[in-house]
Amino acid sequence: MKKAKRTLKWQRDPEGMRIRILEAAKKEFAAHGLAGGRVDRIAAEAGANKRMLYYHVGNKEDLYLAVLEAAYEKIRVEERSLDLEHLAPSEAIARLIDFTWNYFIRNPEFLALLNTENVAKARNLKRSTKVKSMHSPFVEMIGTVVDRGVESGEFRVAMDPVQLYISIAGLCFFYLSNSATLSFVFGRDLLKKEAKTERLEHVIALVLAALTGRSPVTFMQAPELPAPHLV
Amino acid sequence: MKKAKRTLKWQRDPEGMRIRILEAAKKEFAAHGLAGGRVDRIAAEAGANKRMLYYHVGNKEDLYLAVLEAAYEKIRVEERSLDLEHLAPSEAIARLIDFTWNYFIRNPEFLALLNTENVAKARNLKRSTKVKSMHSPFVEMIGTVVDRGVESGEFRVAMDPVQLYISIAGLCFFYLSNSATLSFVFGRDLLKKEAKTERLEHVIALVLAALTGRSPVTFMQAPELPAPHLV
DNA sequence: ATACAAATTAACTCGTTGGATAAATACTCC
DNA sequence: GGAGTATTTATCCAACGAGTTAATTTGTAT
């Protein structure tokens, strides 16, 4: 009977509150963009008073930037945990594609946030010194893998790592990010399980065929992957 | 002296007005999204009174949808004018990629509108019966080209036309649509002339290498294209 | 316990913005 | 040249939504 007086109206939890706010803000901005996002909805979703957003993070723009920064932070962390060193070049590329694909699937908000930010010409992101310093390890990883592949003769040509990275990301990103309009236009659900499986196989087959020059089994059925999904 | 009284306060031009409104709306929504777009700015940009928007098109949502429909209409028209029949399969694919790439470059608003619409999960597009009936001729074109390529032995494998279409679009779209954030992250301007040239060559080389299995000259310098740009 | 700071709630302000109303002006047809 | 309709302008307004102010409650150190 020492602590609980009786029915406290609320309890303190600064860290928890901040996390809940950012999580709610991520959902909101991903679903509606910066302009379409509603501060009141974020507060409600976070189970907080609106004032809390300003107290713990800042105004709407600050909130949005904090979300964006956290999103970049998160993907960079996961990227770093991907170990391609001990894999054969083709395996490494397949693994990289598999990771990218599944990261996007697991984090649809990330795609939406990037879209929003690009419509805004990265206006907000440019204010972030934090993100600027977060370099993706992928470019270097890809460079190493490609070099190894060329040296061993497994790959026919040296490809610019940045171009390859953008290509891999693009092949995954576009399909998922634009699945709503594409599904509508093609009249078929691109997000159903079989469609997604097929797409991943296509992307891997396409990139590996270009790199190795060897014909993959077929572009419909790519070679099965060793232990994909989580890194 | 028959027509012009003197200093008319304004002149009628319903068709012209409607066009100016839609053009202004396209710019506005492409730059700010649906939620971020301002009806007053559209009116100002169109050199019109705000009332005109409602008189000629409808409310903000109607306006947005009209812009979206016009954008799809436009690309479909241009797509249809692309003649791949008389080209060798590899040439045809290169031509297709070149067209897609340059269409996106010439119509940055189209990319932005698609992004906005996808963030909204195609909520608005779904209301359009018009767009639903506008089928892209590319899927069929690609199917024919791929078949010809496989038959002649120029291509090694049959690829699903829809997958290939999405891949080509994705390789172009992602680079351009996300150039703002990518440029920031990589610390280099992806939109400068040389970078764009390099990218187009990379995409063509990548896709053709995957299709033909033959090594392109190099992934840095793709084979020069015969009369690209406008169809 | 009590004072003090940190965390949270409640209620309010106030500019913005989509949309509406009514009046004015231009064209067309008789 | 005048009636009638189509097009355009000039104002207005009610709702919404970001951000603020002030009061209230909770934890903590003295």
Side-chain angles (χ1 to χ4, degrees):
Chain A
M1 189 67 51
K2 42 178 75 161
K3 286 283 170 62
K5 287 254 183 55
R6 66 185 166 278
T7 56
L8 295 189
K9 293 193 174 173
W10 46 268
Q11 34 181 345
R12 294 183 168 197
D13 182 15
E15 305 86 11
M17 178 66 92
R18 186 161 208 277
I19 292 172
R20 267 155 40 222
I21 289 173
L22 287 179
E23 189 61 28
K26 181 170 76 176
K27 278 193 200 171
E28 179 69 13
F29 289 131
H32 305 284
L34 173 51
R38 292 290 167 261
V39 167
D40 296 83
R41 278 202 296 254
I42 294 174
E45 170 77 22
N49 184 286
K50 187 168 43 156
R51 181 67 229 277
M52 292 292 89
L53 313 190
Y54 297 87
Y55 184 77
H56 288 288
V57 187
N59 65 18
K60 195 181 176 185
E61 283 204 338
D62 295 336
L63 202 48
Y64 172 80
L65 186 55
V67 166
L68 205 57
E69 287 179 336
Y72 270 101
E73 174 70 26
K74 188 180 179 212
I75 192 173
R76 292 290 177 263
V77 167
E78 292 207 24
E79 281 176 350
R80 270 197 295 275
S81 73
L82 194 65
D83 174 31
L84 306 178
E85 306 298 315
H86 66 286
L87 293 176
S90 291
E91 299 285 336
I93 294 295
R95 185 63 165 269
L96 183 79
I97 295 172
D98 184 75
F99 166 83
T100 301
W101 173 259
N102 283 296
Y103 186 86
F104 289 167
I105 287 194
R106 281 185 289 117
N107 298 276
E109 303 94 352
F110 182 59
L111 307 187
L113 289 171
L114 283 191
N115 277 352
T116 292
E117 187 55 16
N118 274 295
V119 166
K121 301 264 178 66
R123 189 182 312 144
N124 308 282
L125 191 62
K126 280 174 183 163
R127 289 173 16 228
S128 171
T129 53
K130 202 181 269 184
V131 173
K132 194 172 193 81
S133 66
M134 290 185 215
H135 296 111
S136 170
F138 275 11
V139 171
E140 203 191 325
M141 285 187 192
I142 291 176
T144 309
V145 169
V146 168
D147 286 347
R148 276 170 46 216
V150 169
E151 196 165 355
S152 74
E154 197 171 337
F155 294 167
R156 292 172 311 176
V157 288
M159 216 181 269
D160 174 5
V162 171
Q163 294 291 353
L164 183 53
Y165 175 69
I166 294 180
S167 291
I168 288 172
L171 288 166
C172 298
F173 192 103
F174 179 73
Y175 181 96
L176 294 171
S177 164
N178 290 45
S179 60
T181 57
L182 290 173
S183 290
F184 179 76
V185 165
F186 289 136
R188 69 192 217 197
D189 180 12
L190 295 186
L191 291 187
K192 69 179 178 189
K193 190 174 265 181
E194 313 90 71
K196 286 192 290 192
T197 307
E198 186 187 329
R199 178 63 187 174
L200 174 57
E201 290 170 350
H202 170 86
V203 172
I204 293 176
L206 178 65
V207 173
L208 284 186
L211 280 170
T212 66
R214 290 200 316 270
S215 175
V217 185
T218 156
F219 277 98
M220 312 296 187
Q221 298 149 249
E224 55 283 342
L225 221 47
H229 284 255
L230 233 284
V231 288
Chain B
M1 190 66 54
K2 42 177 76 162
K3 288 284 170 62
K5 288 255 183 54
R6 70 186 163 279
T7 55
L8 296 189
K9 292 195 174 174
W10 46 268
Q11 34 181 346
R12 292 186 167 193
D13 183 15
E15 305 86 11
M17 178 66 93
R18 186 162 207 275
I19 291 172
R20 267 155 39 222
I21 289 173
L22 287 179
E23 189 61 28
K26 181 170 77 176
K27 277 192 200 172
E28 180 69 14
F29 289 131
H32 304 285
L34 173 52
R38 291 292 166 257
V39 168
D40 296 83
R41 278 202 296 254
I42 294 174
E45 171 77 23
N49 185 285
K50 187 167 45 154
R51 180 67 227 278
M52 293 293 88
L53 313 190
Y54 296 89
Y55 183 77
H56 286 287
V57 188
N59 65 18
K60 193 182 176 184
E61 283 204 338
D62 296 335
L63 203 50
Y64 172 80
L65 186 55
V67 165
L68 205 55
E69 289 179 334
Y72 269 101
E73 174 71 25
K74 187 178 179 213
I75 191 173
R76 291 291 177 263
V77 167
E78 292 208 23
E79 281 176 349
R80 270 198 294 275
S81 73
L82 194 65
D83 173 32
L84 307 178
E85 306 298 315
H86 66 286
L87 293 176
S90 291
E91 300 283 338
I93 294 295
R95 185 63 165 269
L96 184 79
I97 295 172
D98 184 75
F99 166 82
T100 301
W101 174 260
N102 283 296
Y103 187 86
F104 289 166
I105 288 195
R106 281 186 289 119
N107 299 275
E109 302 93 352
F110 182 59
L111 306 187
L113 289 171
L114 283 191
N115 277 352
T116 292
E117 187 54 17
N118 275 295
V119 166
K121 301 264 177 66
R123 190 182 312 145
N124 309 281
L125 191 62
K126 280 174 184 164
R127 290 174 13 229
S128 171
T129 54
K130 201 180 269 186
V131 172
K132 194 172 192 82
S133 66
M134 291 184 214
H135 296 112
S136 169
F138 275 11
V139 172
E140 202 190 327
M141 285 186 192
I142 292 176
T144 308
V145 169
V146 168
D147 286 347
R148 277 169 49 216
V150 170
E151 195 164 357
S152 74
E154 197 170 337
F155 293 168
R156 292 172 312 176
V157 288
M159 216 181 269
D160 175 7
V162 171
Q163 294 291 353
L164 183 52
Y165 175 67
I166 295 180
S167 291
I168 289 173
L171 288 166
C172 298
F173 192 104
F174 178 73
Y175 182 97
L176 294 170
S177 164
N178 289 45
S179 60
T181 57
L182 290 173
S183 290
F184 178 75
V185 164
F186 289 136
R188 70 192 214 194
D189 180 12
L190 295 187
L191 291 187
K192 68 180 179 189
K193 189 174 265 181
E194 313 91 72
K196 287 193 288 192
T197 307
E198 186 187 328
R199 178 61 187 176
L200 174 57
E201 290 170 349
H202 169 86
V203 172
I204 292 176
L206 178 66
V207 174
L208 285 184
L211 279 169
T212 66
R214 290 199 316 272
S215 175
V217 184
T218 156
F219 278 99
M220 312 298 186
Q221 298 150 250
E224 55 283 345
L225 221 45
H229 285 258
L230 233 285
V231 288

